[in-house]
Amino acid sequence: LIDDIKKVFKDKKYPILIDQEGGKVSRLNKIIDLSFFPQYSFGKLYTENKKLFYIVYKIYIDKVCDIFKKVGININTAPVLDIRRKTPNFIGNRSFSQNFKSVSKLGKLCVDLYQKNRIATVVKHIPGHGMTKHDSHYKTPIITTNKRELFKKDFKPFKLCKSHFAMTAHVVYSVLDPDNTATHSKIIIDKIVRNHINFKGLLISDDISMKSLKYGL
């Protein structure tokens, strides 16, 4: 299928994107089961044994990229730069850590390792999905957290990790724009994503069929 797509467009480098985070968001399980490797498992290993982490994580990313290259995929929607919270939330073990400094550091390493393998990354969910308690596939999450907390923690990993692509969050940040999700918010995209976070790359939307968005396709 991928070969056919590239032939149609007469472009061997035509963008082919996959959503392969590891853990519960794993699309390659018929080739290799990566559901055992949520980002949080690497964050935990980083805390417990940094030396082992750097060895294991590089092997993991290199092997995932090896599969991508064999199949013909050149963009992955990873890493997740949302910060895990203790309260029940949607992100859970898709996040590296509850510590924004660890999320920033491991996120940057992830982007760098993919780039060395010539695979582009899509950091998500900008500007930060970590405080959400609801699954945006089914309901609009509303974050009521104050600006100070958001700027100090949630927005920080996106500011520190340089990626060519970023995926927007279908989340309402009530202190910034009470009416629109980040995906549809000119305020958040202009003031937060483009100016504060200083993201100058290509912004893509999360899945537009998710129930978080109030309009039909």
Side-chain angles (χ1 to χ4, degrees):
L1 173 63
I2 291 171
D3 283 347
D4 284 350
I5 291 169
K6 290 178 177 180
K7 282 174 187 171
V8 167
F9 289 98
K10 297 182 175 63
D11 184 358
K12 290 180 180 178
K13 295 180 180 179
Y14 192 81
I16 304 291
L17 181 149
I18 193 170
D19 193 11
Q20 175 57 52
E21 295 174 12
K24 64 182 178 182
V25 183
S26 290
R27 316 299 185 195
L28 298 171
N29 289 347
K30 288 188 178 179
I31 298 171
I32 181 172
D33 189 353
L34 298 171
S35 63
F36 297 102
F37 302 102
Q39 285 192 178
Y40 192 72
S41 67
F42 291 112
K44 195 164 178 287
L45 180 60
Y46 175 76
T47 304
E48 294 168 355
N49 188 333
K50 286 183 174 57
K51 187 177 179 181
L52 182 60
F53 161 79
Y54 283 110
I55 295 167
V56 169
Y57 196 55
K58 184 178 186 303
I59 292 169
Y60 171 77
I61 297 294
D62 285 349
K63 290 302 169 189
V64 170
C65 290
D66 191 45
I67 295 168
F68 288 169
K69 289 172 190 174
K70 284 182 168 66
V71 176
I73 294 162
N74 46 28
I75 306 173
N76 189 20
T77 60
V80 174
L81 296 183
D82 306 313
I83 299 162
R84 184 171 183 167
R85 290 304 200 281
K86 289 180 182 177
T87 54
N89 67 17
F90 164 51
I91 295 300
N93 68 4
R94 294 171 68 191
S95 169
F96 282 117
S97 175
Q98 294 169 2
N99 184 312
F100 74 91
K101 290 180 181 177
S102 294
V103 172
S104 301
K105 193 164 190 174
L106 302 191
K108 186 177 185 306
L109 175 64
C110 179
V111 170
D112 289 346
L113 289 173
Y114 273 112
Q115 285 183 349
K116 283 176 183 174
N117 278 286
R118 303 184 68 78
I119 302 290
T121 52
V122 185
V123 294
K124 59 188 185 185
H125 305 81
I126 201 167
H129 211 310
M131 289 297 290
T132 53
K133 294 178 181 177
H134 300 294
D135 185 340
S136 49
H137 288 88
Y138 306 108
K139 188 176 181 179
T140 306
I142 298 173
I143 292 178
T144 57
T145 309
N146 62 67
K147 285 184 184 179
R148 187 173 178 275
E149 177 84 358
L150 291 171
F151 278 79
K152 184 181 177 183
K153 295 181 180 177
D154 295 79
F155 300 166
K156 194 62 71 76
F158 295 95
K159 195 174 176 69
L160 297 174
C161 297
K162 304 302 178 187
S163 174
H164 294 301
F165 301 90
M167 181 187 290
T168 55
H170 291 340
V171 176
V172 171
Y173 302 83
S174 58
V175 294
L176 297 166
D177 184 345
D179 301 316
N180 301 291
T181 65
T183 302
H184 285 148
S185 173
K186 184 173 176 59
I187 295 167
I188 291 171
I189 289 174
D190 284 355
K191 290 187 177 179
I192 306 301
V193 175
R194 294 303 189 188
N195 291 314
H196 173 69
I197 291 173
N198 199 34
F199 178 76
K200 303 302 183 190
L202 287 170
L203 269 182
I204 69 170
S205 166
D206 203 345
D207 180 356
I208 57 172
S209 68
M210 287 160 67
K211 299 295 186 290
S212 174
L213 304 182
K214 56 187 171 182
Y215 304 109
L217 289 173

